[in-house]
Amino acid sequence: MIVMFFYESSLAESRMHMALRCEAGLITEKCTSYSEDGTVLSPDTVWNGDITTSGVTPAKRVIGNGEVRMVSRGLLSGLGLREVKGDLRAVDPVKLLRIRQTVHPLEASGDD
């Protein structure tokens, strides 16, 4: 049971990471994720936990939260829950560079 619990935890972390990458791709409009059969993946189809975003474009933070539960019986009755968390940045480098050039035009062009 313990091995199955850790396997399920690892699988949940992998699914959450895939969902965060899908969400980041949607935010930046630069990447699309596909399943093995060629259908487009959305964060909701990959991960059943929470996904939130914070920050402003072109650099947003994507945060995932969820939990994995184990069947609690006998000696394992106190070990039944593990929280799964992760985050990444969704950055559009072209927009970020344009903002930098607008804010600091002389530094960006190399002129003194």
Side-chain angles (χ1 to χ4, degrees), residues 1-10 70 76:
M1 300 271 306
I2 292 173
V3 171
M4 288 173 35
F5 175 67
F6 284 112
Y7 172 76
E8 186 63 32
S9 295
S10 177
M70 180 172 68
L76 305 175

Side-chain angles (χ1 to χ4, degrees), residues 44-110:
D44 297 335
T45 60
V46 177
W47 172 248
N48 60 355
D50 296 328
I51 295 179
T52 57
T53 60
S54 64
V56 294
T57 304
K60 283 192 168 189
R61 184 176 180 197
V62 183
I63 305 159
N65 290 309
E67 56 188 36
V68 178
R69 293 190 181 275
M70 180 172 68
V71 175
S72 299
R73 287 186 266 168
L75 295 173
L76 305 175
S77 61
L79 302 175
L81 178 68
R82 179 168 180 252
E83 191 172 354
V84 179
K85 293 194 250 182
D87 69 296
L88 58 85
R89 302 282 179 185
V91 178
D92 185 344
V94 174
K95 288 181 182 175
L96 195 61
L97 182 60
R98 286 182 183 149
I99 289 171
R100 171 137 169 71
Q101 288 174 342
T102 303
V103 173
H104 301 289
L106 294 177
E107 290 178 20
S109 67

